Amino acid sequence: MRFSSSLVAISTAVFANGVTAASNSSLPRVSIIATGGTIAGTNSDSTSTTGYKAGSLGVDALIEAVPALSNISSVSGIQFSNIGSQNMNTSLLLRLTKLATNVAANGSADGIVITHGTDTLEETAMFLDLTYNESLPIAMAAAMRPSTALSADGPFNIYEAVALAGSKEAADRGVMIVLNDRIGSAMYTTKTNTRAVDTFKAAEQGYLGVFNDEVPVFYFEPSRVYKKPFFDVSGVDALPRVDILYGNIDMDVRLLNYSVSSGAEGVVIACAGDASLPDAWADAAQAFTEQGIPVVRASRTGSGYVAPADDTLTSGNFNPQKARILLQLVLNEHGGKNSTLIQEYFDPYLS
Ligand SMILES: *[C@@H]1O[C@H](CO)[C@@H](O)[C@H](O)[C@H]1NC(C)=O
Ligand SMILES: *[C@@H]1O[C@H](CO)[C@@H](O)[C@H](O)[C@H]1NC(C)=O
Ligand SMILES: *[C@@H]1O[C@H](CO)[C@@H](O)[C@H](O)[C@H]1NC(C)=O
Ligand SMILES: *[C@@H]1O[C@H](CO)[C@@H](O)[C@H](O)[C@H]1NC(C)=O
Ligand SMILES: *[C@@H]1O[C@H](CO)[C@@H](O)[C@H](O)[C@H]1NC(C)=O
Ligand SMILES: *[C@@H]1O[C@H](CO)[C@@H](O)[C@H](O)[C@H]1NC(C)=O
Ligand SMILES: *[C@@H]1O[C@H](CO)[C@@H](O)[C@H](O)[C@H]1NC(C)=O
């Protein structure tokens, strides 16, 4: 096993109730919140990168596997969950943003790293970016190869994420995604390949920066065309249900009616092309939107802007899974009746 063979005791480590600390008071204090995923996954052989068990290593083992962390940071670990990210859900997200806010507010860290599975990383990152209102940066770290694989990518991704979270340049940039030597924005970065280690990309918006060894180098000053909203969910323990339906030829409009009749308060459709819908769907989507069950047309193409329209809501620059997160938060705060108001959240050029 790659992790256990590379375990090196950190002399200053304290292990108590799953909390690890490698302290050096002159270095930035970084709190690592572990949620599970491939980065904590193990397999029975080193040449297989599929069919492994996600979320089997604890946060202590993640930290111990990267002894060089003690040179750049004073890290402490919090085990939040240990799940494959396909099992992430809204109630966990609400707890995770409270935990991160608490760590930032109680002064125990200078930066936060959250380890996560890659499959739904982009949804968690966007949710946190919209619900976490602290200047302390959050760097999300993940891996495409389990810890036991030859050239596992997890340890270096954690190392870079810790360096980023502890760097002054990262402050006020919200939530960032760190894999494969790149820094990606939480709002736009998406997983683009099932297996490749360079899977996280934002085709239109690009990366925020890169690493030169462990030194983060940003390409631009923090600035946004899209004025990022903030949703205070501190007193919230559930969000409205929003479904995603997939567009294709022969798509059956009964699926949309079923979503709504079974309790969805909003629906995102991953439409073909520039978010077009067959006539029957367009009519039903407009009818539901006018009734206060907003239907958001997004695109299944993987990139590109969807402009506002009169019949339904549209997703702007957000892919279907990111549009869903945003719609849940908007519905929770404002309900579904005011389409003009909802559209402003999706559209970077209106506000
Ligand atoms: C703490 O970090 C500083 C700066 O990198 C280094 O000079 C010092 O040796 C470290 N102390 C320990 C105990 O590791
Ligand atoms: C920490 O940095 C020193 C100086 O560059 C290096 O000799 C040492 O191997 C590093 N420690 C680890 C655990 O990587
Ligand atoms: C969310 O996941 C947690 C952890 O697996 C589980 O305990 C909880 O029941 C799930 N919540 C919902 C609403 O599915
Ligand atoms: C800060 O909050 C985190 C998460 O709840 C907790 O683990 C830590 O002990 C707290 N630290 C202080 C100094 O209160
Ligand atoms: C969000 O943070 C900003 C900057 O600290 C602060 O002015 C604002 O009141 C916060 N918003 C909420 C709703 O807490
Ligand atoms: C779906 O719902 C719409 C809007 O309520 C309605 O006009 C339409 O007849 C329904 N279609 C089917 C196939 O049930
Ligand atoms: C709907 O939202 C728009 C944009 O925020 C606002 O100007 C308008 O007054 C709202 N309409 C109602 C009926 O609240």
Side-chain angles (χ1 to χ4, degrees):
M1 259 179 62
R2 193 173 192 277
F3 266 114
S4 54
S5 63
S6 64
L7 293 188
V8 173
I10 302 168
S11 58
T12 48
V14 179
F15 298 95
N17 301 326
V19 177
T20 312
S23 20
N24 182 333
S25 57
S26 65
L27 293 171
R29 298 160 306 155
V30 175
S31 180
I32 302 183
I33 301 174
T35 71
T38 300
I39 198 162
T42 54
N43 211 344
S44 53
D45 70 79
S46 65
T47 52
S48 175
T49 58
T50 60
Y52 50 85
K53 186 173 181 323
S56 37
L57 294 181
V59 66
D60 292 343
L62 295 181
I63 293 171
E64 285 168 45
V66 194
L69 286 178
S70 62
N71 268 0
I72 58 165
S73 61
S74 168
V75 291
S76 57
I78 299 173
Q79 191 76 52
F80 173 78
S81 61
N82 212 348
I83 56 173
S85 70
Q86 68 277 16
N87 287 319
M88 188 50 74
N89 62 36
T90 300
S91 63
L92 289 172
L93 290 181
L94 288 164
R95 282 176 44 206
L96 186 58
T97 198
K98 285 182 186 111
L99 176 62
T101 301
N102 192 37
V103 170
N106 78 9
S108 61
D110 301 308
I112 297 171
V113 167
I114 298 178
T115 61
H116 198 284
T118 56
D119 286 358
T120 64
L121 174 65
E122 64 192 87
E123 291 164 64
T124 298
M126 175 145 172
F127 180 88
L128 292 171
D129 209 21
L130 291 170
T131 60
Y132 169 86
N133 190 37
E134 304 287 335
S135 65
L136 221 66
I138 296 181
M140 310 266 321
M144 288 298 289
R145 295 176 178 160
S147 65
T148 44
L150 287 172
S151 68
D153 52 336
F156 207 73
N157 289 343
I158 289 183
Y159 183 69
E160 290 182 330
V162 166
L164 177 64
S167 81
K168 297 220 173 349
E169 291 70 30
D172 295 314
R173 289 182 185 261
V175 180
M176 291 161 282
I177 292 175
V178 175
L179 274 97
N180 206 39
D181 301 335
R182 289 353 190 284
I183 306 167
S185 98
M187 298 299 278
Y188 300 118
T189 305
T190 184
K191 187 174 184 181
T192 65
N193 186 288
T194 54
R195 296 190 174 186
V197 294
D198 66 339
T199 177
F200 279 89
K201 294 178 181 166
E204 291 296 328
Q205 295 82 8
Y207 293 111
L208 302 177
V210 71
F211 288 91
N212 180 12
D213 288 336
E214 78 274 10
V215 180
V217 180
F218 286 99
Y219 297 130
F220 313 103
E221 292 297 311
S223 95
R224 294 184 195 95
V225 175
Y226 179 75
K227 198 168 164 299
K228 190 176 66 179
F230 166 66
F231 298 91
D232 183 352
V233 291
S234 53
V236 174
D237 54 19
L239 291 177
R241 183 179 127 201
V242 173
D243 289 349
I244 300 179
L245 299 174
Y246 204 86
N248 51 271
I249 60 167
D250 299 329
M251 64 200 283
D252 189 329
V253 76
R254 286 173 299 184
L255 294 172
L256 178 57
N257 289 37
Y258 176 74
S259 259
V260 175
S261 64
S262 66
E265 293 176 45
V267 176
V268 174
I269 308 176
C271 303
D274 189 9
S276 62
L277 280 174
D279 295 347
W281 278 76
D283 292 345
Q286 179 168 3
F288 284 130
T289 303
E290 284 166 1
Q291 289 162 34
I293 312 285
V295 176
V296 174
R297 288 187 287 113
S299 175
R300 71 181 194 185
T301 58
S303 65
Y305 175 67
V306 184
D310 293 333
D311 55 347
T312 65
L313 283 298
T314 54
S315 68
N317 281 309
F318 299 118
N319 69 22
Q321 56 272 31
K322 287 176 182 280
R324 175 183 167 277
I325 296 282
L326 181 56
L327 186 56
Q328 279 189 294
L329 290 165
V330 176
L331 285 173
N332 183 63
E333 197 150 305
H334 301 290
K337 297 259 186 270
N338 190 338
S339 293
T340 310
L341 183 153
I342 299 171
Q343 187 63 48
E344 285 173 359
Y345 282 94
F346 285 92
D347 204 285
Y349 307 111
L350 290 182
S351 48

mmCIF file of all heavy atoms in Angstrom, residues 250-265:
data_model
loop_
_atom_site.group_PDB
_atom_site.id
_atom_site.type_symbol
_atom_site.label_atom_id
_atom_site.label_comp_id
_atom_site.label_asym_id
_atom_site.label_seq_id
_atom_site.Cartn_x
_atom_site.Cartn_y
_atom_site.Cartn_z
ATOM 1 N N ASP A 250 -36.963 12.127 -28.702
ATOM 2 C CA ASP A 250 -37.991 11.246 -28.124
ATOM 3 C C ASP A 250 -38.185 11.460 -26.620
ATOM 4 O O ASP A 250 -38.799 10.625 -25.958
ATOM 5 C CB ASP A 250 -37.669 9.751 -28.366
ATOM 6 C CG ASP A 250 -37.590 9.385 -29.839
ATOM 7 O OD1 ASP A 250 -38.310 10.026 -30.641
ATOM 8 O OD2 ASP A 250 -36.817 8.473 -30.188
ATOM 9 N N MET A 251 -37.659 12.529 -26.049
ATOM 10 C CA MET A 251 -37.833 12.728 -24.598
ATOM 11 C C MET A 251 -39.327 12.838 -24.261
ATOM 12 O O MET A 251 -40.079 13.505 -24.961
ATOM 13 C CB MET A 251 -37.009 13.931 -24.113
ATOM 14 C CG MET A 251 -37.395 15.278 -24.674
ATOM 15 S SD MET A 251 -36.078 16.543 -24.524
ATOM 16 C CE MET A 251 -36.174 16.987 -22.803
ATOM 17 N N ASP A 252 -39.713 12.170 -23.198
ATOM 18 C CA ASP A 252 -41.140 12.020 -22.858
ATOM 19 C C ASP A 252 -41.552 13.075 -21.835
ATOM 20 O O ASP A 252 -41.030 13.105 -20.720
ATOM 21 C CB ASP A 252 -41.351 10.612 -22.277
ATOM 22 C CG ASP A 252 -42.826 10.278 -22.087
ATOM 23 O OD1 ASP A 252 -43.627 11.212 -21.827
ATOM 24 O OD2 ASP A 252 -43.166 9.091 -22.186
ATOM 25 N N VAL A 253 -42.480 13.929 -22.207
ATOM 26 C CA VAL A 253 -42.852 15.068 -21.358
ATOM 27 C C VAL A 253 -43.497 14.621 -20.044
ATOM 28 O O VAL A 253 -43.577 15.389 -19.082
ATOM 29 C CB VAL A 253 -43.749 16.064 -22.132
ATOM 30 C CG1 VAL A 253 -45.175 15.518 -22.259
ATOM 31 C CG2 VAL A 253 -43.741 17.437 -21.464
ATOM 32 N N ARG A 254 -43.934 13.347 -19.971
ATOM 33 C CA ARG A 254 -44.499 12.880 -18.696
ATOM 34 C C ARG A 254 -43.460 12.906 -17.573
ATOM 35 O O ARG A 254 -43.801 12.986 -16.392
ATOM 36 C CB ARG A 254 -45.060 11.468 -18.854
ATOM 37 C CG ARG A 254 -46.376 11.446 -19.639
ATOM 38 C CD ARG A 254 -46.823 10.038 -19.928
ATOM 39 N NE ARG A 254 -45.831 9.323 -20.736
ATOM 40 C CZ ARG A 254 -46.003 8.078 -21.201
ATOM 41 N NH1 ARG A 254 -47.105 7.405 -20.919
ATOM 42 N NH2 ARG A 254 -45.069 7.511 -21.943
ATOM 43 N N LEU A 255 -42.182 12.846 -17.937
ATOM 44 C CA LEU A 255 -41.131 12.901 -16.903
ATOM 45 C C LEU A 255 -41.155 14.249 -16.183
ATOM 46 O O LEU A 255 -40.962 14.321 -14.970
ATOM 47 C CB LEU A 255 -39.751 12.664 -17.528
ATOM 48 C CG LEU A 255 -39.524 11.271 -18.115
ATOM 49 C CD1 LEU A 255 -38.198 11.229 -18.871
ATOM 50 C CD2 LEU A 255 -39.535 10.217 -17.015
ATOM 51 N N LEU A 256 -41.380 15.313 -16.953
ATOM 52 C CA LEU A 256 -41.443 16.645 -16.344
ATOM 53 C C LEU A 256 -42.662 16.742 -15.430
ATOM 54 O O LEU A 256 -42.570 17.192 -14.277
ATOM 55 C CB LEU A 256 -41.490 17.716 -17.443
ATOM 56 C CG LEU A 256 -41.603 19.175 -16.978
ATOM 57 C CD1 LEU A 256 -40.465 19.554 -16.037
ATOM 58 C CD2 LEU A 256 -41.625 20.122 -18.169
ATOM 59 N N ASN A 257 -43.778 16.270 -15.936
ATOM 60 C CA ASN A 257 -44.983 16.311 -15.090
ATOM 61 C C ASN A 257 -44.795 15.455 -13.847
ATOM 62 O O ASN A 257 -45.242 15.817 -12.763
ATOM 63 C CB ASN A 257 -46.200 15.834 -15.900
ATOM 64 C CG ASN A 257 -46.598 16.860 -16.953
ATOM 65 O OD1 ASN A 257 -45.742 17.492 -17.556
ATOM 66 N ND2 ASN A 257 -47.888 17.031 -17.159
ATOM 67 N N TYR A 258 -44.128 14.329 -13.987
ATOM 68 C CA TYR A 258 -43.909 13.459 -12.826
ATOM 69 C C TYR A 258 -43.039 14.168 -11.776
ATOM 70 O O TYR A 258 -43.325 14.113 -10.577
ATOM 71 C CB TYR A 258 -43.259 12.128 -13.233
ATOM 72 C CG TYR A 258 -42.957 11.300 -12.004
ATOM 73 C CD1 TYR A 258 -43.986 10.667 -11.316
ATOM 74 C CD2 TYR A 258 -41.662 11.240 -11.484
ATOM 75 C CE1 TYR A 258 -43.741 9.957 -10.147
ATOM 76 C CE2 TYR A 258 -41.412 10.538 -10.313
ATOM 77 C CZ TYR A 258 -42.444 9.898 -9.650
ATOM 78 O OH TYR A 258 -42.203 9.225 -8.492
ATOM 79 N N SER A 259 -41.981 14.802 -12.231
ATOM 80 C CA SER A 259 -41.107 15.527 -11.297
ATOM 81 C C SER A 259 -41.923 16.497 -10.453
ATOM 82 O O SER A 259 -41.807 16.532 -9.227
ATOM 83 C CB SER A 259 -40.061 16.340 -12.074
ATOM 84 O OG SER A 259 -38.845 15.699 -12.088
ATOM 85 N N VAL A 260 -42.732 17.286 -11.137
ATOM 86 C CA VAL A 260 -43.490 18.318 -10.428
ATOM 87 C C VAL A 260 -44.562 17.690 -9.547
ATOM 88 O O VAL A 260 -44.709 18.045 -8.372
ATOM 89 C CB VAL A 260 -44.100 19.322 -11.433
ATOM 90 C CG1 VAL A 260 -45.000 20.324 -10.712
ATOM 91 C CG2 VAL A 260 -42.986 20.045 -12.181
ATOM 92 N N SER A 261 -45.285 16.695 -10.083
ATOM 93 C CA SER A 261 -46.383 16.127 -9.279
ATOM 94 C C SER A 261 -45.851 15.342 -8.086
ATOM 95 O O SER A 261 -46.539 15.152 -7.091
ATOM 96 C CB SER A 261 -47.299 15.255 -10.143
ATOM 97 O OG SER A 261 -46.571 14.153 -10.626
ATOM 98 N N SER A 262 -44.580 14.922 -8.150
ATOM 99 C CA SER A 262 -44.032 14.172 -7.013
ATOM 100 C C SER A 262 -43.236 15.051 -6.051
ATOM 101 O O SER A 262 -42.564 14.536 -5.161
ATOM 102 C CB SER A 262 -43.159 13.016 -7.515
ATOM 103 O OG SER A 262 -42.018 13.523 -8.162
ATOM 104 N N GLY A 263 -43.272 16.374 -6.257
ATOM 105 C CA GLY A 263 -42.736 17.243 -5.212
ATOM 106 C C GLY A 263 -41.559 18.139 -5.561
ATOM 107 O O GLY A 263 -41.094 18.896 -4.712
ATOM 108 N N ALA A 264 -41.064 18.072 -6.793
ATOM 109 C CA ALA A 264 -39.982 18.997 -7.134
ATOM 110 C C ALA A 264 -40.530 20.424 -7.148
ATOM 111 O O ALA A 264 -41.616 20.667 -7.675
ATOM 112 C CB ALA A 264 -39.383 18.652 -8.492
ATOM 113 N N GLU A 265 -39.781 21.343 -6.548
ATOM 114 C CA GLU A 265 -40.209 22.745 -6.533
ATOM 115 C C GLU A 265 -39.556 23.544 -7.650
ATOM 116 O O GLU A 265 -39.837 24.720 -7.859
ATOM 117 C CB GLU A 265 -39.901 23.366 -5.162
ATOM 118 C CG GLU A 265 -40.752 22.738 -4.069
ATOM 119 C CD GLU A 265 -40.396 23.252 -2.685
ATOM 120 O OE1 GLU A 265 -40.228 24.476 -2.506
ATOM 121 O OE2 GLU A 265 -40.263 22.416 -1.766
#
